[in-house]
Amino acid sequence: MSAVAAQTLHVFGLRSHVANNIFYFDEQIIIFPSGNHCVKYNVDQKWQKFIPGSDKSQGMLALSISPNRRYLAISETVQEKPAITIYELSSIPCRKRKVLNNFDFQVQKFISMAFSPDSKYLLAQTSPPESNLVYWLWEKQKVMAIVRIDTQNNPVYQVSFSPQDNTQVCVTGNGMFKLLRFTEGTLKQTNFQRGEPQNYLAHTWVADDKIVVGTDTGKLFLFESGDQRWETSIMVKEPTHDSKSLDVIQESESLIEFPPVSSPLPSYEQMVATSSHSQLSMPQVFAIAAYSKGFACSAGPGRVLLFEKMEEKDFYRESREIRIPVDPQSNDPSQSDKQDVLCLCFSPSEETLVASTSKNQLYSITMSLTEISKGEPAHFEYLMYPLHSAPITGLATCIRKPLVATCSLDRSIRIWNYETNTLELFKEYQEEAYSISLHPSGHFIVVGFADKLRLMNLLIDDIRSFKEYSIRGCRECSFSNGGHLFAAVNGNVIHVYTTTNLENISSLKGHTGKIRSIVWNADDSKLISGGTDGAVYEWNLPTGKRETECVLKSCSYNCVTVSPDAKIIFAVGSDHTLKEIADSSILREIPAFDATYTTIVISHSGRMMFAGTSVGTVRAMKYPLPLQKEFNEYQAHAGPITKVSRALSPGTQSHTCLPHALFFPSTSQRLFSLLSLSYLFIPHSLNHCLLTMNILFV
């Protein structure tokens, strides 16, 4: 049989803590990071194309696009080592032009980058304790100059070139505003800081020798040739002392205990950490973007201000205020707009301003609308749709409709359409949601909240609960294939309910540890479970008894699935193998090689298998499984994949056709991706995205 290939179709999510995380490729196409990809998104035609990150990447750190829009630089950590990859955007698909990964200087990671005006040079700033500024002739991989920017381990946030001068650069950070000039093979500082040091969070060039800089206390400075020419303080128009926008969402309990991924501290958290508690109420200026009339800057939670240059003066005046709108679907609408704007970018024609926020949202506004709303704040709109802002914990699909249901620690439930790539329903609740299952009809969901298990109706414009069960923190739930039953895990017990009278018809007891995975066989006569106690049980539903059991106490199981004929159970866990189990015995153990399998699914035909790994990759394998290393591997996310789901094209029969799409979210990533052949994967904790892929035979 030929190999199984996949291609990414769509990603729902944003990695907001990547430095310089959104910019325009042309008037219609924006580029932003999501999962282990950079997404080229056409805002008019709604399509996505993808620039893949490096294999075995632990996450992107910073992006930069060249002024001529031909090149994209991506800073990553790959297998614990820093790397900068430069892509040629003009080629289709985008190809790697250069990879900078061999350095003769100490470096842990590159946290900010910038191309020179002629796009021939690349400026890159390393993180503390080295804090080196590196000036590259990148095509020849030649370091032209290197200088240590700071000796006090203060964070550096941004580096940039003068828009007209290859030799003039600017560096800002906590307590530092430095102008340097490249001359005679070295970078020499040309300015001398006067006055009290500030925590300079962002800057932009508004002219050849003029720079506007923003601080964590709401101050804006204009410097000309290093000398201060103008200063203003952003006024706080409403109290922000109770704002939740800067709260870092912490996962209350890891869904699956994976080895920790060495992820760098995001620059946004660095900025917040370096501000004192009293300063958190000040309108911190995280982002500044210049345009022909002046500049735009973030001005505290939910606010962006436009400043215009005054005629015949080197001063700027506030001209407009733009706000993030209150979201009526939020469980606390008064706080829904309290999110910091981390990045701003104008379109080439300056007709549109786009913004990314600390809650992983993308917004845009047509600049002409800001002219209409004189005296009143203008409001952003979602660039696409509301995205998850915290780890995705649950994922489900159904056979009747092209729907994907997700739940998250952001206390929301979202229903996505993977044919139109849109968000159909979205609602926030008071409690965190840990698991979700979608009824085969696509009309109901069962959700495991922190306080209760709820059975809910999917209405045209609402998600409404109609039955509650006293199961707290349910981590796994699943409708049967026929939809007449559903099962929910309560610690080490599985409760089975009927959807006709909503009563508990069976409680399956036997596990001595937490149950991590449950799956129904094709005719719903059996339920298979796997847990941290090393047990895989096959339950007979009519009798409520265990039919087969396989216990291996040295392995903590993450996921189980079953073949279409229900003869073979597949289990993956902490011992780095994929096990084939039949009649209470392990038939084969296929090694996972250099990864841990975290989740697994088999196609309806039984000829293909897909596994998510602890390093964010998806492996597409043919079945029967070969003992050799024969699979295609795709780097979908930068964190462990925790869920995989298969889906069918609407109107197809569940037992006779192949799935057409794969979905995989990562709770670490707050996003999910869609592969074309109908499976879904979730990452484990920083990306918050969902990815869809297309599976093909090649």
Side-chain angles (χ1 to χ4, degrees):
M1 177 183 165
S2 55
V4 180
Q7 65 187 69
T8 305
L9 278 186
H10 205 82
V11 179
F12 302 88
L14 167 72
R15 297 199 68 173
S16 63
H17 297 307
V18 175
N20 194 24
N21 59 45
I22 186 165
F23 38 80
Y24 274 88
F25 173 63
D26 58 30
E27 197 63 37
Q28 288 79 37
I29 297 174
I30 61 167
I31 298 177
F32 60 90
S34 186
N36 196 54
H37 303 77
C38 275
V39 180
K40 291 176 70 175
Y41 175 69
N42 188 300
V43 295
D44 294 330
Q45 300 176 20
K46 310 300 182 187
W47 52 254
Q48 289 185 354
K49 293 181 180 177
F50 303 94
I51 304 166
S54 302
D55 291 339
K56 299 181 180 177
S57 171
Q58 293 163 265
M60 296 179 185
L61 302 173
L63 305 178
S64 182
I65 192 170
S66 62
N68 61 13
R69 301 291 197 271
R70 286 188 59 187
Y71 307 111
L72 172 68
I74 301 176
S75 164
E76 299 172 281
T77 301
V78 182
Q79 291 184 305
E80 309 292 339
K81 296 180 180 179
I84 296 175
T85 307
I86 299 172
Y87 290 84
E88 192 166 337
L89 295 174
S90 56
S91 63
I92 301 176
C94 298
R95 68 181 182 89
K96 290 183 180 180
R97 184 68 176 259
K98 289 291 177 184
V99 179
L100 309 176
N101 56 9
N102 291 316
F103 313 111
D104 55 4
F105 51 88
Q106 289 292 316
V107 54
Q108 294 184 23
K109 57 198 177 193
F110 294 99
I111 55 177
S112 181
M113 300 180 297
F115 280 97
S116 62
D118 61 5
S119 305
K120 292 181 179 179
Y121 298 93
L122 182 70
L123 202 61
Q125 176 66 48
T126 72
S127 62
E130 296 85 12
S131 298
N132 287 320
L133 180 64
V134 189
Y135 188 99
W136 260 299
L137 180 63
W138 64 266
E139 277 275 22
K140 297 184 178 180
Q141 302 186 20
K142 181 180 179 181
V143 175
M144 305 297 291
I146 183 170
V147 62
R148 189 170 187 183
I149 287 296
D150 181 68
T151 58
Q152 307 298 319
N153 286 345
N154 289 318
V156 181
Y157 301 127
Q158 186 181 352
V159 298
S160 66
F161 275 96
S162 164
Q164 302 296 330
D165 188 351
N166 284 351
T167 65
Q168 182 81 12
V169 302
C170 178
V171 181
T172 51
N174 187 15
M176 73 184 78
F177 167 71
K178 295 187 179 183
L179 293 174
L180 301 99
R181 184 173 293 278
F182 175 69
T183 177
E184 299 177 352
T186 61
L187 284 164
K188 295 181 180 178
Q189 186 171 347
T190 60
N191 72 317
F192 298 95
Q193 289 184 235
R194 299 180 179 91
E196 185 179 344
Q198 303 280 339
N199 188 7
Y200 298 107
L201 300 182
H203 71 261
T204 190
W205 295 76
V206 291
D208 295 353
D209 57 351
K210 296 176 183 177
I211 303 172
V212 173
V213 187
T215 75
D216 65 343
T217 56
K219 290 183 178 180
L220 293 170
F221 297 94
L222 174 67
F223 291 97
E224 181 178 3
S225 301
D227 296 325
Q228 183 181 323
R229 299 298 187 198
W230 172 76
E231 175 185 348
T232 189
S233 293
I234 296 171
M235 301 301 294
V236 180
K237 296 187 178 180
E238 61 182 22
T240 57
H241 62 276
D242 59 347
S243 170
K244 299 177 184 177
S245 64
L246 300 182
D247 291 350
V248 179
I249 298 172
Q250 300 291 339
E251 192 166 347
S252 55
E253 179 185 348
S254 176
L255 303 178
I256 300 178
E257 293 184 6
F258 297 114
V261 178
S262 58
S263 174
L265 184 68
S267 58
Y268 172 65
E269 277 83 350
Q270 278 188 346
M271 295 179 192
V272 173
T274 55
S275 303
S276 70
H277 179 74
S278 62
Q279 290 173 328
L280 289 180
S281 62
M282 302 299 290
Q284 302 182 79
V285 183
F286 288 112
I288 310 179
Y291 72 122
S292 59
K293 293 182 179 180
F295 63 91
C297 69
S298 60
R303 295 174 69 209
V304 169
L305 298 180
L306 297 181
F307 283 83
E308 293 184 1
K309 189 175 184 296
M310 298 177 67
E311 293 182 11
E312 301 178 0
K313 292 183 180 180
D314 285 333
F315 302 131
Y316 291 83
R317 62 176 179 85
E318 180 185 331
S319 60
R320 295 286 183 275
E321 179 181 3
I322 309 172
R323 285 187 173 272
I324 292 173
V326 171
D327 193 333
Q329 299 298 324
S330 171
N331 66 338
D332 187 358
S334 66
Q335 293 294 328
S336 62
D337 60 331
K338 300 300 188 291
Q339 45 188 310
D340 282 293
V341 174
L342 301 186
C343 193
L344 291 166
C345 183
F346 286 96
S347 63
S349 68
E350 299 183 352
E351 288 183 3
T352 308
L353 174 65
V354 295
S356 65
T357 76
S358 55
K359 289 188 177 179
N360 305 293
Q361 305 302 321
L362 289 170
Y363 292 96
S364 70
I365 189 169
T366 303
M367 291 299 290
S368 58
L369 294 178
T370 64
E371 303 293 332
I372 299 171
S373 59
K374 290 187 177 180
E376 293 293 327
H379 286 88
F380 283 105
E381 294 180 343
Y382 283 111
L383 181 67
M384 298 179 289
Y385 27 67
L387 301 167
H388 278 298
S389 61
I392 297 171
T393 52
L395 170 77
T397 54
C398 67
I399 64 171
R400 292 290 183 184
K401 295 182 179 182
L403 298 180
V404 181
T406 57
C407 63
S408 167
L409 295 183
D410 62 15
R411 298 180 170 89
S412 75
I413 295 171
R414 294 165 204 254
I415 308 298
W416 313 81
N417 187 310
Y418 62 79
E419 283 195 340
T420 60
N421 296 324
T422 56
L423 179 65
E424 296 211 343
L425 277 174
F426 154 54
K427 193 170 182 179
E428 286 189 10
Y429 297 87
Q430 297 294 328
E431 301 288 337
E432 293 177 344
Y434 300 125
S435 61
I436 193 168
S437 183
L438 190 54
H439 190 271
S441 67
H443 293 149
F444 314 102
I445 54 174
V446 60
V447 184
F449 287 95
D451 60 340
K452 289 183 179 180
L453 180 76
R454 291 179 172 88
L455 200 57
M456 312 179 88
N457 272 319
L458 299 182
L459 307 178
I460 293 175
D461 57 357
D462 196 11
I463 303 173
R464 197 169 298 168
S465 174
F466 65 91
K467 180 68 176 178
E468 295 182 347
Y469 302 91
S470 56
I471 298 178
R472 296 174 61 87
C474 173
R475 303 282 171 165
E476 285 291 322
C477 59
S478 178
F479 277 106
S480 63
N481 295 302
H484 59 298
L485 301 171
F486 67 91
V489 170
N490 186 6
N492 58 5
V493 178
I494 304 170
H495 299 288
V496 182
Y497 300 86
T498 172
T499 55
T500 52
N501 59 16
L502 310 181
E503 292 182 356
N504 180 212
I505 59 170
S506 184
S507 294
L508 309 177
K509 300 177 181 179
H511 280 279
T512 57
K514 289 184 178 180
I515 299 169
R516 292 295 193 197
S517 179
I518 55 175
V519 63
W520 299 85
N521 71 339
D523 64 5
D524 297 330
S525 62
K526 297 175 184 176
L527 189 68
I528 295 91
S529 62
T532 59
D533 54 358
V536 175
Y537 295 145
E538 184 178 18
W539 304 88
N540 184 301
L541 267 297
T543 64
K545 304 294 184 183
R546 278 180 291 188
E547 200 161 277
T548 66
E549 58 183 82
C550 180
V551 181
L552 184 66
K553 292 192 178 296
S554 60
C555 179
S556 175
Y557 287 108
N558 298 328
C559 187
V560 294
T561 191
V562 63
S563 62
D565 60 8
K567 291 182 179 179
I568 299 177
I569 297 169
F570 304 94
V572 295
S574 59
D575 64 350
H576 308 280
T577 64
L578 190 162
K579 297 178 177 59
E580 293 185 19
I581 302 170
D583 298 324
S584 301
S585 300
I586 297 174
L587 302 181
R588 288 202 306 166
E589 290 185 281
I590 294 89
F593 301 99
D594 54 351
T596 300
Y597 287 133
T598 56
T599 182
I600 190 170
V601 69
I602 192 168
S603 69
H604 291 287
S605 67
R607 296 161 56 200
M608 296 180 292
M609 190 168 284
F610 304 91
T613 72
S614 58
V615 292
T617 60
V618 179
R619 291 180 179 176
M621 302 170 279
K622 59 186 179 182
Y623 188 81
L625 295 168
L627 289 174
Q628 296 79 21
K629 198 174 183 179
E630 294 180 17
F631 49 77
N632 286 327
E633 190 164 27
Y634 305 90
Q635 188 78 43
H637 293 294
I641 291 171
T642 56
K643 294 287 181 183
V644 182
S645 181
R646 60 188 178 185
L648 292 170
S649 297
T652 58
Q653 296 300 313
S654 62
H655 303 295
T656 59
C657 76
L658 292 174
H660 86 280
L662 260 178
F663 308 89
F664 18 43
S666 159
T667 61
S668 71
Q669 298 191 235
R670 301 166 205 171
L671 48 91
F672 71 90
S673 314
L674 174 61
L675 280 134
S676 152
L677 180 133
S678 275
Y679 290 76
L680 249 157
F681 304 76
I682 307 188
H684 171 65
S685 180
L686 289 176
N687 283 5
H688 312 179
C689 84
L690 183 63
L691 175 121
T692 337
M693 295 186 91
N694 222 6
I695 309 302
L696 313 166
F697 285 105
V698 293

